[in-house]
Every structure is written in structure tokens, then in C-alpha cells.
Amino acid sequence: GDVGGALRLRGRGRAGGHGRDRPAHGGARLMPILQAEPFPLDLDLPALGLVVIDMQRDFMEAGGFGASLGNDVSLLRAIIPATARLIEGFRAAGLPVIHTRECHRPDLSDLPPAKRNRGNPSLRIGDEGPMGRILIAGEPGADIIPELYPLEGETVIDKPGKGAFHATAFGDVLKEKGLRQLVFAGVTTEVCVQTTMREANDRGYECILAVDATESYFPAFKQAAIEMIRAQGAIVGWTATTDQLREAIGV
Ligand code: TIU
């Protein structure tokens, strides 16, 4: 039944509900309201998917790309339980989960020199590290952490950029799945997550950032990203917690 308002019918107070507002199979409603910020959002469950960005060992574990840039990777591990609950919730609701991995071809043909040479990392992309070659497809470090590993049949997008649309099939996959609303989780908030959200927002998707399932190496950057995304009347998108999202999708 209705819990805390999240599953309230749209247009409550009007006579009856109709069409997609009706509960399906006596279960969760197809258009529940997500208690998001900066204001509630009507979800369209058949068009809702979860995008988990780059939860890879290279960003989350010692000896990977994140650490090579001088970051404290332990900060990122705090979001693993919430992210697991979010993924599990989408799976339980029968909604699609799409995973991305930032990585490059072994021959580096999709790695612009400007990206490889950026900054002064201790290990560059393509160099041999303790988890294999840094950010190279097929290497242990480029794979998703075991706690959040994709299920057989879930889409995994390997992407050479920070955004998921650049040089990938991501946009085609979203269209093929009929998605129109995207929940984003993953790392890091202000780099790959925010870039992908902005690209999706420009392509007409309604985007929601799961605030406790995303993290940055810089807490101030995470907070700033959250605030700039939902400012100006959700200029880039909405924000919500894992609990709010799970309630809205009826799990
Ligand atoms: N360095 C950093 O914060 N992030 C990245 O390089 N990639 C992603 O965010 N995935």
C-alpha cells in the first residue's frame, strides 16, 4: 500500500486515477512520486533505469588509477553498501541496471595523448600496475568491484571518456530500452557522474543523482556538484537518497 506519500497517486483529490496511474498487478504503481530535491518528481517506472558509473577497482582500490593521481581511495568505499542496496532495489523491481567502466583499448588507440599525459600521475593510463595495466579493458583493475558486480545480462558500457555517451553505444542502449528517466550512482560525483548526467540532461533525459551512492575524492566537490545539479529548478536534474528511491520504486 501507500507508504509515506512516495506511492501516492498523481493528482490525488481529482476523481479517481486512470491509465498508468493505476497500480499494476495490485503491486507498485507505475507512476509513483519520488520525494526528490529540489521538488518531487513523477517517476515513469517503465522508462526508469539505473546507471552505475565506474565502480571499478582502479578508482576504489589501492594501486589503481585514482591512487596514482594522489587520491585517498578509501573515501570512496563508504558508498558501497548504499550503492549495493540501490542496485538490489532496481533488480528487485525488475528495472534495468546499466554499468559503465572507464577504460581504454590495450593498443591505446582510443586514448588521446592529452588524456594520457595529463597531470603528473605516478602511473599513466596503460602502464603496468599492481592490478594490471591502468584503466585498460580486460585488466583486473578496470573491472567492477566484486561487491557491485553486474549480473549476467546487465549492460556494461566501456567508455574511453569521462562522459558515457562519447564513443560508446550508451545512447543507443538507452533508446533501445525505452528509457526516459535515469538514476545515477557511482564515482566520482563531479567527474564521470556529473559529466554523464549533463550529457543525458541535454539529450532529454530526466536525471536523478543518488546522493548516498556517489562519492568524490573531494567532499567539497561532491557537495558542490549536488547543489549545482539541483539549483535553478533542477537545471541538470534532481537528487534523492537510496531510501527515497527504493520507496518510490516499491521495494
Ligand atoms: N579522477 C576522477 O575523479 N575521476 C575519474 O577520472 N573518472 C571517473 O570519475 N570515473
Side-chain angles (χ1 to χ4, degrees):
D2 289 4
V3 182
L7 297 178
R8 267 201 320 259
L9 287 179
R10 283 206 310 164
R12 197 167 71 131
R14 278 187 273 132
H18 50 77
R20 328 183 70 159
D21 284 356
R22 244 183 317 218
H25 324 299
R29 302 188 198 290
L30 290 181
M31 294 203 77
I33 295 173
L34 174 65
Q35 295 304 324
E37 292 199 57
F39 48 83
L41 174 66
D42 293 322
L43 294 184
D44 179 8
L45 293 192
L48 180 71
L50 172 63
V51 182
V52 185
I53 303 279
D54 300 359
M55 292 296 283
Q56 297 161 257
R57 299 183 64 196
D58 256 322
F59 295 107
M60 311 285 296
E61 297 183 10
F65 181 65
S68 83
L69 298 172
N71 298 304
D72 174 7
V73 295
S74 67
L75 258 176
L76 269 44
R77 301 194 62 82
I79 64 161
I80 294 174
T83 309
R85 285 186 66 243
L86 187 61
I87 292 171
E88 181 269 326
F90 270 71
R91 286 172 180 160
L95 300 174
V97 179
I98 298 169
H99 308 258
T100 70
R101 298 184 293 207
E102 181 178 349
C103 58
H104 295 271
R105 296 189 196 121
D107 65 2
L108 309 186
S109 57
D110 59 357
L111 175 61
K115 182 175 179 182
R116 177 167 155 83
N117 295 330
R118 191 70 50 86
N120 189 23
S122 53
L123 288 171
R124 289 177 194 281
I125 296 171
D127 288 351
E128 194 69 45
M131 294 189 287
R133 294 177 68 200
I134 299 284
L135 284 194
I136 298 299
E139 298 288 337
D143 210 353
I144 293 170
I145 59 171
E147 296 92 329
L148 304 179
Y149 211 75
L151 291 184
E152 195 74 38
E154 288 179 348
T155 302
V156 180
I157 301 284
D158 283 350
K159 61 183 187 58
K162 302 305 179 189
F165 289 88
H166 169 66
T168 73
F170 184 58
D172 294 332
V173 168
L174 299 180
K175 282 189 194 135
E176 183 259 320
K177 292 183 180 298
L179 301 180
R180 194 175 67 73
Q181 297 182 321
L182 303 174
V183 172
F184 285 92
V187 297
T188 59
T189 315
E190 81 283 9
V191 183
C192 292
V193 177
Q194 184 175 215
T195 300
T196 305
M197 272 188 82
R198 287 173 179 272
E199 291 182 327
N201 185 55
D202 280 348
R203 286 164 171 80
Y205 295 92
E206 291 179 320
C207 299
I208 305 130
L209 177 63
V211 292
D212 52 351
T214 184
E215 194 51 272
S216 168
Y217 300 119
F218 307 90
F221 290 176
K222 173 181 176 177
Q223 195 53 39
I226 288 170
E227 287 171 23
M228 66 176 80
I229 281 165
R230 68 190 177 200
Q232 306 181 72
I235 194 86
V236 176
W238 286 257
T239 65
T241 64
T242 291
D243 283 346
Q244 287 168 330
L245 285 158
R246 286 180 57 104
E247 189 175 342
I249 64 176
V251 297

